[in-house]
Amino acid sequence: MARVPEKNNLILKIQEGELFKFFDTENRERVTVGSQRICDIVIKSPAISSLQALIYKENGLWFVKNMTPEDSRCELLISGKKPKKNPFRLDGELSLRRFGDKKTVIAEIAPVKNISRRHDKKHIDLTERTITVVGSGESCDVRVNNPMVDEKHFFIVYDGGRCFIEDCRSLNGTYVNNKKIKRALLNDYDRISIPSAAYVFFNNKLLFSTSPAGIQIDVMHISKEVPDKYSKNKKIMLVNDVSFRIDAGAFVAIVGGSGAGKSTTLDCINGTRPATDGKIFYDTNDYYENINSYKGVVGNVPQKDVMHEDLTVEDALYYTALLRMRSTMKKQEVMEWVYKAIEDVKLQGKEHIKISSLSGGQKKRVSIAMELLSDPKVIFLDEPTSGLSPDLDLKMMALLKELSNKGRTIVIVTHAMENLDKCDKVAFLGTGGRLCFYGKQAEVFKYFGKNSYSRIFASLTDETVCKTFEERYKSSEYYKELMQSYHKLYGAEKANVRQKKDSEKRSGGAKTENAEDSYEEI
C-alpha cells in the first residue's frame, strides 16, 4: 500500500436535489461553475449562466466570485446568507438559488473538511483522510496491481460523518453490491468490487475480502435439473445435492465417468450454467448474486481452444491483452504482462512461432496464458489434458499445480487419472451427478475398496452403489464439519436447505455480527 502526503487541495461536494458528486481540485487553483460542458462543475439548469461562478485560491484561502452578478436568474448564498461583497470567502456551504424563490435551491457546493491524520496502521480507516483513492497508480492510497484496474479506479470521500464512493470513469467499472455505480453513499456491509479485488465497507473502514492466495469456493447443496426432451412432464437430474469446499489456492480435480455431471458441476461453480438449486459462495459472498463483480477475477479455459492460429504466440496474447486491459497502458506495460504470462506457462522461446505450428499441449498453454493476462484469482479448465500424451499430461498437471502455488485457485475437469497426485483434492462424481468422494488422491483406492480407477468408474455406473458412497461421504467427519462451518457462515436455513429432507434439522445460526470477524483488514 503506497502512502503519499495529503495535498493542500479542496474537495467539493456538489448536491443537486438527491443527486450528489465530488470534485477534487488536485493541483488546480481555479474551478469554474456553470451550465456549459467546458466548466469544471457543470450544473444543468436554465437559471444557471454558462459561467456562473469562479472558485479560486489566493494566499492559501479559497474565494468565490459571482461572474454574472447583474444576472437576476440566479443568486449565490454562503451558509444561507447573501454575501456583502463579490468575491467572498468560501468558508461555508455555497448555495445556488433561483432568484426570488427562497424555497428552490438549484445546487449546493460544500467544501469537505480536510482531514489528514497520520497513524501507522496496516488497514484503511477512511476517517483518517478526506479522500482515499484506490487504483493501480503509485499515488493511490490502496494499490491494486492488475492490468484491468485504472490508475485511479475509484475514490471514497469522508465528509466528517458519512462515506461516499465515486467511480473515476474506469474502463471496467466499480460495483457496489453487484451494481455498477457512478457514485453512491456507503453503508455497513456494502461490498465494493473491481477486477481482482473486493472490499467490504464496515464502520468507516475498508476490509479486504479477497485472499492473496486465491478464492475460497463454498459449494453448498447445488443441484441441476433440466427438462427431459423425451417427456414434457419429467426432468433429468444432472447434479444432485453436491456440497464441498475448495480452499483458496487449492488445485482441485472433478472426475467421474461419462455423463456423471463433471462439466455441468464445473459450469454451476463458475456460473456459466447456474445451478437450479443450492448456493455457490466465493470468499463467503453469494456468487450468483455478485457474478458481475467477479468478472475480472474468474478465468475460464474451455475444452476447445479458441484462438487465431495464424498469429504468433506473442501477437495473439498482445491483441488479447489490448481487448482486456485498460486503454491507458503503454505498449511496454502491456508487453510486460504478455511476457509474464508466457513465462508462467513455460512457453519461452515459442513467442514468434505461429500457433498453428504448436503441439496440442502448447496450444493449451496459450489458452491458459490468455486467461492469465487479466491476473485471475480462480481458473476453471475443462479437460485441459484431453488428447495429450502421458508425458505432456504430466507437464500440464505440474504447470497447473505451480499456478495454484502462485496465488490462484485451480479447478479442472479431467478423464486423465495418472497424475491426480498433483491435485490437493479430488471430487469423484457417480451416475446421476452424485458426489461419492471428496478428498486426497492417496485415499481414493482405500475409500472405494478398488485397486484401479477403471474398476472405480465401472462401479459408479450403478445408481445403487453411487447412493451408498454418497451416503458414506455425507456421514464422514469432513462433511459434518463442513456443514457446521456453512451453518455458522451462512445461517441454518441456507446451510440445511436440503438436509430438511433427511429428517435431521439443525437449529440456530446467524449472520456474522461484525464484518471485521469475517474479513481481513488491509
Side-chain angles (χ1 to χ4, degrees):
M1 181 182 73
R3 293 292 301 271
V4 294
E6 187 89 13
K7 299 175 183 177
N8 186 24
N9 54 346
L10 182 68
I11 308 295
L12 297 170
K13 181 182 179 182
I14 305 104
Q15 188 149 358
E16 299 177 63
E18 294 183 355
L19 301 177
F20 65 88
K21 59 184 176 181
F22 290 89
F23 182 84
D24 186 354
T25 62
E26 295 182 316
N27 296 321
R28 306 184 193 192
E29 295 191 352
R30 293 164 56 92
V31 178
T32 55
V33 181
S35 59
Q36 279 191 341
R37 289 186 178 181
I38 59 173
C39 291
D40 299 309
I41 299 174
V42 180
I43 300 172
K44 296 180 181 179
S45 171
I48 302 294
S49 301
S50 57
L51 179 59
Q52 183 68 56
L54 174 68
I55 301 174
Y56 65 96
K57 187 177 181 182
E58 186 176 284
N59 297 324
L61 301 174
W62 288 90
F63 294 86
V64 180
K65 183 177 182 180
N66 190 344
M67 302 302 290
T68 56
E70 71 286 348
D71 191 337
S72 60
R73 291 180 300 170
C74 177
E75 60 180 345
L76 274 58
L77 291 82
I78 188 74
S79 299
K81 298 179 181 179
K82 292 183 180 180
K84 296 180 179 180
K85 55 184 179 179
N86 187 33
F88 54 90
R89 279 277 309 277
L90 181 61
D91 53 4
E93 186 176 74
L94 174 65
S95 300
L96 284 74
R97 189 173 68 183
R98 191 182 295 274
F99 189 82
D101 186 354
K102 295 183 179 181
K103 295 182 178 180
T104 305
V105 176
I106 302 168
E108 295 175 333
I109 302 175
V112 180
K113 183 180 179 181
N114 197 338
I115 302 168
S116 181
R117 292 190 286 267
R118 294 300 176 200
H119 296 294
D120 185 19
K121 294 182 179 179
K122 293 182 179 180
H123 66 263
I124 287 292
D125 185 340
L126 299 168
T127 66
E128 292 177 358
R129 56 187 64 75
T130 310
I131 185 167
T132 300
V133 183
V134 178
S136 60
E138 293 184 1
S139 62
C140 292
D141 300 290
V142 181
R143 289 196 67 192
V144 181
N145 185 25
N146 184 281
M148 297 176 70
V149 175
D150 286 58
E151 289 191 16
K152 289 184 178 180
H153 204 95
F154 71 85
F155 62 85
I156 296 175
V157 174
Y158 175 66
D159 68 354
R162 304 295 300 272
C163 286
F164 301 82
I165 184 172
E166 186 161 332
D167 181 72
C168 299
R169 296 182 179 179
S170 62
L171 177 65
N172 291 294
T174 300
Y175 292 81
V176 175
N177 300 329
N178 203 36
K179 293 182 180 179
K180 194 173 184 179
I181 58 99
K182 288 185 178 179
R183 56 189 65 88
L185 170 67
L186 289 173
N187 296 296
D188 281 351
Y189 298 104
D190 278 351
R191 186 175 185 279
I192 304 165
S193 303
I194 60 175
S196 83
Y199 310 91
V200 170
F201 174 82
F202 181 79
N203 195 23
N204 290 330
K205 294 177 183 176
L206 270 188
L207 308 175
F208 192 58
S209 70
T210 301
S211 168
I215 288 178
Q216 175 181 293
I217 302 174
D218 285 340
V219 180
M220 190 168 76
H221 299 302
I222 64 166
S223 295
K224 179 74 172 181
E225 274 188 326
V226 296
D228 187 345
K229 62 181 180 180
Y230 300 109
S231 176
K232 293 183 179 180
N233 299 323
K234 290 184 178 180
K235 289 187 176 182
I236 300 174
M237 186 72 76
L238 302 180
V239 180
N240 193 340
D241 190 21
V242 169
S243 299
F244 61 97
R245 169 173 286 167
I246 302 171
D247 293 322
F251 178 21
V252 172
I254 300 174
V255 302
S258 297
K262 301 183 299 300
S263 295
T264 305
T265 300
L266 188 78
D267 288 346
C268 288
I269 298 172
N270 63 32
T272 304
R273 292 182 290 167
T276 53
D277 194 11
K279 293 283 188 177
I280 301 291
F281 294 93
Y282 281 26
D283 286 336
T284 71
N285 298 295
D286 190 315
Y287 178 56
Y288 293 162
E289 291 183 2
N290 296 278
I291 196 165
N292 288 332
S293 60
Y294 279 100
K295 284 181 178 178
V297 181
V298 177
N300 279 299
V301 180
Q303 185 173 351
K304 185 177 180 181
D305 297 319
V306 181
M307 60 187 76
H308 295 284
E309 296 203 348
D310 287 336
L311 295 176
T312 64
V313 172
E314 182 181 293
D315 287 344
L317 293 175
Y318 175 68
Y319 292 129
T320 301
L322 291 182
L323 293 172
R324 297 186 181 184
M325 295 179 179
R326 60 180 185 271
S327 57
T328 55
M329 288 185 72
K330 297 178 181 178
K331 183 175 181 179
Q332 182 181 351
E333 293 179 273
V334 175
M335 291 310 298
E336 286 178 3
W337 282 94
V338 168
Y339 291 138
K340 184 177 183 297
I342 289 173
E343 181 182 352
D344 283 345
V345 298
K346 306 289 191 292
L347 279 179
Q348 299 98 318
K350 307 291 183 182
E351 295 92 335
H352 304 297
I353 296 177
K354 283 189 175 183
I355 293 174
S356 58
S357 301
L358 298 176
S359 67
Q362 290 168 341
K363 288 180 181 179
K364 184 61 67 177
R365 288 170 185 253
V366 175
S367 291
I368 296 172
M370 286 179 172
E371 295 304 313
L372 292 177
L373 290 171
S374 57
D375 194 24
K377 296 300 180 185
V378 56
I379 303 177
F380 297 96
L381 305 98
D382 195 353
E383 298 285 0
T385 63
S386 178
L388 300 184
S389 60
D391 61 321
L392 293 179
D393 179 275
L394 173 61
K395 290 181 179 179
M396 180 61 68
M397 295 293 279
L399 170 65
L400 295 175
K401 178 61 178 175
E402 187 175 326
L403 290 176
S404 73
N405 291 335
K406 291 182 177 179
R408 296 181 178 91
T409 303
I410 307 291
V411 186
I412 70 167
V413 164
T414 184
H415 278 113
M417 313 298 289
E418 188 175 350
N419 298 301
L420 285 183
D421 59 320
K422 299 292 183 185
C423 301
D424 297 300
K425 293 284 181 68
V426 179
F428 247 100
L429 293 176
T431 297
R434 299 178 184 276
L435 183 57
C436 299
F437 170 83
Y438 185 68
K440 295 181 179 180
Q441 179 272 340
E443 302 167 355
V444 170
F445 296 125
K446 183 179 179 180
Y447 180 88
F448 286 105
K450 306 291 183 182
N451 58 10
S452 70
Y453 288 115
S454 59
R455 286 181 169 83
I456 296 173
F457 276 60
S459 67
L460 294 182
T461 58
D462 186 307
E463 188 170 354
T464 302
V465 173
C466 290
K467 288 181 179 179
T468 300
F469 281 114
E470 180 188 41
E471 288 302 316
R472 183 176 177 184
Y473 167 65
K474 290 184 177 181
S475 300
S476 67
E477 287 301 315
Y478 168 82
Y479 189 82
K480 292 176 182 177
E481 291 174 3
L482 181 69
M483 290 301 107
Q484 289 175 0
S485 175
Y486 286 176
H487 182 281
K488 181 179 179 181
L489 283 171
Y490 310 118
E493 184 177 350
K494 289 182 179 180
N496 297 328
V497 65
R498 293 297 298 266
Q499 299 297 83
K500 292 177 182 179
K501 293 183 178 181
D502 302 327
S503 74
E504 181 182 358
K505 296 182 180 180
R506 293 183 174 90
S507 61
K511 182 178 179 181
T512 304
E513 293 183 1
N514 192 329
E516 294 179 72
D517 294 335
S518 301
Y519 299 101
E520 177 186 351
E521 292 186 355
I522 301 176

